[in-house]
Amino acid sequence: MSSQQFNQVFQLQCKTQSYEWGKLGIKSKVAQYAQSIPEFSVEADKPYAELWMGTHPNAPSIAICPGKESVSLKDLITERVELMTEKIYQKYEGEFPFLFKVLSINKALSIQAHPDKKLAQRLFSERPDLYKDPNHKPEMAIALTPFEALCGFRPLTVIKEHLKEYPEFSELIGEALVRKFNETLEKFPEEDSEIGVVEKKEVLRGLFEAVMTRDNDFIQEQLSKLLLRLSKDSTKPEIFELLNRLNSQYPGDIGCFAVLFLNYTVLKPGEAIFLQANEPHAYISGDCIECMATSDNVVRSGLTPKFKDVKVLVDMLTYESYDIKTKVMYGESYKGLEHSLLYDPPIDEFSVLRTELPLNSSERVPGIHGPSILIVTNGNGTLEYAEEKITLEQGQVWFISPDTEVVLHSNSEQAVFYRAFNSEE
């Protein structure tokens, strides 16, 4: 089949991933959207965790040309470099620059971080059975429903309070390290000062390493004592509920104590967080749009039955600490458009545009000088470009070629579109 038969805008047939932490059946946004895939049927007791949109070999998308033979998106962009632009194609050495996903989470994902490029290359060369590619994986999550997550280390003053408030936590770490941590904070009390940054990161690493390398029996003992005590008298019911829930999902797991280290947040629909390489996090529940560099590398240390690479994780983290409220992204104006917001993280690989149209309205979106992928997450409508008009249904995924101006319309209800793109601009 000649790839020239594809128009500037064409549909993608994408693949779902069923991991045990996914939402079951039709409760999953992934399953709801996947119903737009021909011959797909939802199984009520099957977990639908992720929908992948892109060229990653674990679940590559297929480009659809009605009445013609389909072809993988990877093969298509290899044949037609102009679908990425020559500059972007060369920059990413022929690889698609991002992987776009929908996640539906019923059970917490592992305490994890993603390696930077240098570490990813080393891990891939040393353990290709565990680390499947040499690329880094900065990522951004945008909530579709209320979305719970642990992200980055809490402010050091909060961790200090937790060490005092939860003696089981201090016991796990050890008196000497706790004392050193407190003394360092007393010596360098200014949270925003550059003075003492290295020392404070060093003592935070010491605490985290102590917990993550503790003997399992001792971990379970302290966790049981903590939960029993909090069940009788908890001044912070939110933390008790979260600890209890994680322990019910992963009994006695060291990852439960990450709640006392890491920021806890619940994103509202449309709110986002961006996670740099080497930053600890764990998604807990909800549905989200996720975009990342084209990689599937994960270094884990808790809340998982999978391989835990604790030493690598402890070594790789940057030990930045912050108030999570300063990291939430709300989207910003994009080229003066009335109904579209841009989520633009500080990396080259991707940005995401969210267009929310009230019923019977439209938005003209200028051409983007790079490849993009659009998914319909709510409602239905049409997409017009050049002399063409396409009907859009919830769950459908479309590829939009560089420099293609499109007009999005909503029909009888609100329509929401998410569009990931890479641009030379």
Side-chain angles (χ1 to χ4, degrees), residues 301-324:
S301 70
L303 302 182
T304 179
K306 296 181 180 179
F307 174 71
K308 300 176 185 179
D309 211 341
V310 176
K311 184 181 185 307
V312 170
L313 187 84
V314 168
D315 289 345
M316 71 189 279
L317 297 182
T318 60
Y319 296 97
E320 300 282 347
S321 60
Y322 50 79
D323 183 339
I324 190 61

Side-chain angles (χ1 to χ4, degrees), residues 193-221:
S193 173
E194 292 296 315
I195 300 173
V197 167
V198 173
E199 291 87 346
K200 286 190 281 191
K201 286 185 177 183
E202 188 178 300
V203 292
L204 178 56
R205 173 188 167 130
L207 297 191
F208 188 71
E209 183 173 21
V211 171
M212 289 297 151
T213 55
R214 272 296 191 179
D215 174 80
N216 283 338
D217 290 341
F218 191 52
I219 291 165
Q220 292 174 17
E221 178 188 335

